[in-house]
Amino acid sequence: RELARREAAAGRRVLVLTFTEALGLELAGHFDGAAGALPVAVSPVGRWALERLRGDGFAEPERYEPEFWDGVTRLAAQSGGIWEGCAFDTVVVDEGQDFGENEWAIVERCAGTGDGRRIWVFADDGQAFWAARRLPAEFEKRAVKFTLKAPYRCPPGIQALAEAYVAGSWGSDGAGLEAVAREIADGTIKVVVSGDTEAEAHAAVGREIRAAKKEGFAESDIAVVSLRGLMYPGNIAHNATLGRCELAKATDLENRERVICDTFLRYKGLERPIIIVADVKAEAERYNVRMNIAVSRAFGALRIVIAPKQLAFDEILRRVVEIEGRGKGET
């Protein structure tokens, strides 16, 4: 946001593109209609492509399925005419690790051709869900790179847990586990071992929502993040209510005061004071990436609801549960 504001204040035409729709809508809200707002265009890259295709006569009905959006970005990337008059001085890309070749082609088309054009890419390889997607080699050759090493969003213990999933294990120095132990003791981190069925796990999430409210969190402070995709029929995000609270998707800006319940990919880039991680399936593809994304959404407190059968596959989380058990005097 700050980069886009500074570029616009310098008189440049600025476009911000995100991979996830909820993040694009959230960022757009900081510019559209805001007092003193600068003219910055903000959009999820897929919707940016779809709007231009619609203007060119594309009439296929919109669908949630990834195949639809893959087709949209592919067609848009190949359609030179729809990008006439769409050149920006500065293009800012967020969650760049998720952009594929078609999304990068759209970035190139929107960045114009002048020597003064600027492309800024924010990316975190530790949260790259699609292993085959990478920053194009020609981008890297031309780029000045900055590595942002100091994390600021999460409390130290939550950050240590997120980093353990990137590394694949706890470090040998034990510093991360010490930070986790402190935050277990003060209630920042809690792991809830539920029953093995989906119904039991979802009921446990509902209880954690009610507990969070008793601790003083508002419903607008709480997000439930599922580690399963939205197409999975048993996803917790298909519930209308949990813990006697009405739920909303991350893209539902009109109901932001509700508890958000959505998937790890759709919530990527966003954050709330307390995150409840649900639908934990340790055998899922790229499980550690899923968990890293979900855990790192929390900037205040973290709750993870996991079934015993799944905990058996997660060595990182088992160590956390062991620390909790010692704190309770369990053996």
Side-chain angles (χ1 to χ4, degrees):
R1 290 198 305 266
E2 182 62 22
L3 173 61
R5 286 194 182 102
R6 293 186 184 203
E7 291 290 286
R12 300 185 180 96
R13 295 186 64 220
V14 181
L15 170 66
V16 179
L17 292 175
T18 67
F19 185 78
T20 55
E21 183 163 22
L23 177 59
L25 294 173
E26 174 73 17
L27 288 173
H30 290 272
F31 295 99
D32 294 344
L38 293 164
V40 175
V42 186
S43 177
V45 64
R47 192 155 298 283
W48 186 250
L50 181 60
E51 288 176 1
R52 268 128 203 90
L53 288 173
R54 292 285 193 230
D56 197 47
F58 181 77
E60 185 177 338
E62 181 179 329
R63 305 191 312 279
Y64 167 74
E65 289 87 346
E67 292 79 10
F68 171 79
W69 293 103
D70 288 343
V72 164
T73 55
R74 181 170 57 253
L75 180 59
Q78 298 168 353
S79 304
I82 66 173
W83 301 108
E84 291 181 8
C86 196
F88 289 80
D89 303 308
T90 301
V91 178
V92 182
V93 173
D94 200 7
E95 302 293 348
Q97 74 278 356
D98 292 332
F99 278 48
E101 60 178 343
N102 294 319
E103 287 83 6
W104 287 120
I106 291 170
V107 171
E108 286 273 30
R109 290 190 180 278
C110 292
T113 57
D115 292 338
R117 72 173 183 168
R118 299 166 180 240
I119 300 174
W120 285 76
V121 180
F122 293 86
D124 182 352
D125 288 340
Q127 296 193 353
F129 186 70
W130 292 276
R133 298 185 182 183
R134 293 189 57 83
L135 185 69
E138 60 270 21
F139 272 43
E140 293 202 63
K141 290 177 183 177
R142 302 198 305 263
V144 176
K145 284 187 169 182
F146 301 91
T147 301
L148 307 180
K149 295 182 179 179
Y152 296 100
R153 175 194 287 138
C154 305
I158 295 177
Q159 184 65 38
L161 180 56
E163 290 174 357
Y165 281 106
V166 174
S169 65
W170 290 106
S172 57
D173 61 2
L177 279 170
E178 290 176 4
V180 168
R182 288 191 294 271
E183 291 179 13
I184 288 172
D186 68 18
T188 300
I189 295 175
K190 178 182 177 184
V191 179
V192 178
V193 181
S194 70
D196 277 319
T197 69
E198 284 179 350
E200 290 172 316
H202 292 181
V205 171
R207 290 192 293 273
E208 289 308 308
I209 291 174
R210 294 198 299 275
K213 292 178 66 177
K214 289 180 180 178
E215 292 173 36
F217 290 100
E219 292 183 20
S220 58
D221 293 332
I222 305 168
V224 178
V225 179
S226 168
L227 296 196
R228 300 300 298 265
L230 200 58
M231 301 299 290
Y232 175 66
N235 194 304
I236 196 169
H238 296 313
N239 286 282
T241 63
L242 281 172
R244 296 192 290 272
C245 296
E246 290 185 286
L247 305 178
K249 296 289 191 300
T251 51
D252 186 0
L253 300 186
E254 293 183 359
N255 290 301
R256 294 174 66 185
E257 76 286 353
R258 295 182 183 176
V259 174
I260 296 297
C261 187
D262 219 320
T263 74
F264 70 105
L265 283 178
R266 285 167 51 87
Y267 205 67
K268 184 185 280 194
L270 300 175
E271 59 189 14
R272 276 201 167 184
I274 180 167
I275 295 294
I276 304 173
V277 181
D279 289 337
V280 179
K281 306 293 182 184
E283 73 276 16
E285 178 186 8
R286 301 183 69 77
Y287 170 73
N288 280 20
V289 175
R290 296 173 190 241
M291 188 65 90
N292 173 263
I293 293 170
V295 166
S296 60
R297 301 307 95 207
F299 68 82
L302 174 69
R303 308 289 182 256
I304 300 175
V305 177
I306 185 169
K309 289 181 180 179
Q310 300 303 322
L311 185 61
F313 292 102
D314 188 332
E315 182 180 349
I316 292 170
L317 209 57
R318 284 207 310 274
R319 295 291 301 278
V320 177
V321 172
E322 289 171 5
I323 293 171
E324 283 189 315
R326 289 198 295 270
K328 297 174 183 177
E330 298 173 0
T331 59

